[in-house]
Amino acid sequence: MIDPQVLAENASRKLSNLVDEYVVNANIVSSVMVKYADGEVTVTQSWKDYILDVYVSKNSKINTSTYTTHDPIEVLSKLPSLIEKLTASPLYTPLPEPTGSPLSIIDSRLKDSSLSGDISGLLGSIDVKSYGNVAGMIEISYSRSHYIGSNGLDSGFEITEFNGYFRVFRGDDSGQWAWVSTFYDESLARGALDKASSLAELCSSLPKENIETGYYRVLLSPMVSGNLLESVARFSTAGSVILGFSFLQGKKAGDIIASEKLTLREVPRNNRLPNYRGFDDEGVATMDKPIIERGVFKGFLHNSKTAKLMNEKTTGNAGWILPRIFNLEVEPGDIRESELLEALGDGLYATNNWYTRFQNFLEGTFSTVTRDALLIVRRGKPIACSRRARLAGSLPEMLSSIEDLSRERWQIKWWEVRAPIILPHMLIKKITVTSTTL
Amino acid sequence: MIDFIELERIVGEAIRSGAEYAEVRYHRVDGLSLFFLNGVLFGAYQPLVSGVAIRVVYSGGLGFSSTSDLTSEGLRDALSRAIASARSSSFMVKNKVVMGAASLGYAKYSVLERKLLVDMPVEDKINSLVEKLKSIDFKRDPMRISSYTLSYNENIEYKMLVTSDGAVIESRVPRVSLFYNISASSGERRANRWNMLAASGGFEVVDKVKLEEEINDDLNSLYTSLVKAQSPPRGRMDVVLGPEIVGLAMHESVGHPSEADRVLGREAAQAGLSYRREYREPQFGSELVTVIDDPTIPGSYGFYLYDDEGVPARRRFLINKGRLEELLHNRETAAVFNVESNASARATDYRSEPIVRMANTYMAPGDYTFEELIEDVREGVYIRKYMEWNIDDYRWNARYVGLEAYIIKDGRLGDPVRDVVLEITTKEFFSNIDAIGRDLEFSAGTCGKGEPSQPMPVWMGGPHIRLRGVRL
């Protein structure tokens, strides 16, 4: 197996005399994914990738590259001739001093199984078949990265990850749940199966009712609120603002943008989540920090380039060209999960959603389609189930309309929530729901 | 660089190891992206993704592995992981995987470039794009442009495929895409318009897609929406839709639900299911409607001549004169439905298993002129462009929000209206079409599907159409 440190050192030697500045990240990723449909395995996939990410600058011109190839060092020789031909970037600023130290988190069971591709011992005890008609996937992975930069960065780290999701069907009804962790814990997979199964069964046991279009109190499961709050976090990166894709354009730290119940944090140093890391792509120390604290916007996420452009400081969120988010966390609220429906009173409990699209990024207007169990709740009791509806509104209005959150939190990552996030249920006072046909 | 002899060797070794089927694909994608902010280059990105994908069926279980390590050791390791994966799948399957019989290709093809991407100096590409942006007059008082971005993306996709049952395919397809976003405001109102223009070919695509015309037209749409448009009428009325929305609807409401893996529930936990699981009435909509998916359209963004299982591509009639017809199949789903694959297996890169995908999906044109579509409407709305859409995971209830739309009154186009929302079921959409335009326009898109996600180049197209009596 190629050692990432050796690959990074070879790349560094190749670049050191050819460009003004560089950072290389040599990365080995081994992962295995088992996919299920109708309670059986449809395919098992195993990946082993050697990835070399490269940032170079010369005379204020900047270029990044990703080489997932057999001999990346040979390809590197093309870079200097390319960069000569670019024009100076208005985003250019010199690489900052590296300030971060590496952080690793390894579960040897995940590492060994990911590298060997043999998952029978690890996943054999998760009895997916016993839940009947189930679709979903389980993924384990191990990655090892080593960064070397002309700014003195020379550091590496390792991470393991265990994530997945299941959608359980009971006739035409269904429930879905997901999990993510840096450790193997089969109870997470079983918990997702149980949760998805119980939602499907609850929906199945209830009469079906169409929802009338109108305003509703809505309880959002962590699957739904994770999807919407991930968008909020992405809109808080300075890149989204500069490129014109954010309703936060024009906002400044200190502005009230949400209910005081909401605290959304970006947490690269939470070792339960797989983007756990001690430094960003520029070598700057990462830090856990609020994006929104008790409803108050705390500022944009930056790398050194966007920070300079907006006359602020880097937040340790590089991205070589534009900043990015690593992990997210939402502070818990006051409602026990067992009391959520009572707190909802009359309204809807949306357990899952997909296909969130923005009508207008600058105003944050969106709609999203619910899927799986959508419970109609009266006086705190589920009285009917509707399979699909559409939530439509604006993120600023939804954020201001958060009434409370649950005490219990879930670690979520799936197809519609790409950034790992720890978060509770979220109770929204008022949002437009439009009817769809059963 | 790997060669066919090495791929044949791996296939042979897989079969000797007990696999019923083996497929080995060398897949290389060379890319270049240039990013512009307000007309100035702010960065470049140069990806190179290359490696080998191995897929085997072993005791009825399907296994997939990939590696970018092309040493003998790396390839041996990848094969042993593919077989181990298939073996482990085989213990957990009720229905054994079979790759259906198909007439397989032994062929080599490539898309020619008038302006070779590899030969054209990058500074010429930059200059050409900067000049195009400079030639555009962004001023539309009192509308203000807060920013505009453009990303230029080229990639050259090279593949070698060998299967244990005789397919040998070599292909080279270059593609160019342009993606832009314009953020604008007028008074308190703000809006943005993004658009993607793309085709297969060389740098000549940049001229072919008429970037300046498209941006100018979108600036006019933003101006109309922000400065002139009023609130839209509500209620049941006639609606004329432009090709941009019709193409999107063909992709979302016909193409996706016609994917056989989705019908079988293989995508149930990700992209969802399909109304075609349950819908049994063959007459689905107006007899005027024919919807086709065709990978063989020359110059298209979704172009290919053989799929990633070696099956020769052809046109697929998803709806023919209002009747639901073919599903899109790969060899695995074709075997389940006891039909022959219609070459819909596509993989994004060497890390991706081939799954059922669309290519270029469109509604066949009819015989109405645009004027004829409008003149017969007493009260209605013409929606020319959209800015938001979504659809449920059965592909039954869709929503389109108009960016540029106009009142139609007594057969004439009237004042512009903004934020027109059309929420409609697929059945109602196709049943209420009473006239189809003779025009046909395609839009480019990147279709999302699969786990891990496999972005796939596609075209979506259609003519203007008229729907009678739908609710806005």
Side-chain angles (χ1 to χ4, degrees), chain B residues 147-214:
Chain B
S147 66
Y148 66 94
T149 60
L150 170 73
S151 70
Y152 162 86
N153 309 287
E154 64 180 45
N155 70 61
I156 300 168
E157 184 177 35
Y158 174 77
K159 291 186 272 193
M160 292 191 290
L161 171 76
V162 175
T163 70
S164 56
D165 46 9
V168 179
I169 306 291
E170 184 177 3
S171 65
R172 183 181 183 278
V173 179
R175 296 185 187 87
V176 170
S177 68
L178 295 159
F179 181 92
Y180 59 85
N181 179 53
I182 305 165
S183 303
S185 64
S186 178
E188 292 297 300
R189 281 156 70 170
R190 301 193 293 173
N192 60 300
R193 162 73 175 176
W194 55 264
N195 197 5
M196 181 175 175
L197 312 168
S200 57
F203 196 78
E204 72 279 1
V205 167
V206 170
D207 293 324
K208 199 166 122 187
V209 298
K210 299 187 171 77
L211 174 68
E212 307 95 305
E213 277 180 38
E214 291 285 340

Side-chain angles (χ1 to χ4, degrees), chain B residues 301-340:
Chain B
Y301 198 41
F303 178 83
Y304 62 90
L305 291 182
Y306 291 85
D307 77 354
D308 288 330
E309 292 174 339
V311 180
R314 63 168 174 82
R315 288 208 300 177
R316 288 78 65 113
F317 283 79
L318 309 180
I319 296 179
N320 196 358
K321 296 179 179 166
R323 294 169 69 89
L324 289 173
E325 289 206 345
E326 283 185 272
L327 295 174
L328 296 169
H329 282 290
N330 62 10
R331 294 179 62 187
E332 184 192 351
T333 62
V336 176
F337 283 84
N338 203 23
V339 296
E340 194 164 309

Side-chain angles (χ1 to χ4, degrees), chain B residues 417-435:
Chain B
V417 289
R418 64 184 162 87
D419 299 342
V420 182
V421 178
L422 173 64
E423 285 196 17
I424 190 165
T425 65
T426 301
K427 174 75 175 162
E428 192 184 6
F429 186 100
F430 285 103
S431 300
N432 289 32
I433 294 172
D434 85 323

Side-chain angles (χ1 to χ4, degrees), chain A residues 57-74:
Chain A
S57 76
K58 192 166 188 181
N59 300 326
S60 303
K61 304 164 183 178
I62 58 178
N63 180 77
T64 60
S65 304
T66 297
Y67 303 117
T68 305
T69 186
H70 178 56
D71 189 359
I73 301 303
E74 191 183 312

Side-chain angles (χ1 to χ4, degrees), chain A residues 282-294:
Chain A
E282 295 177 328
V284 172
T286 56
M287 56 180 167
D288 294 349
K289 69 278 194 184
I291 297 170
I292 300 169
E293 190 169 48
R294 294 183 159 277

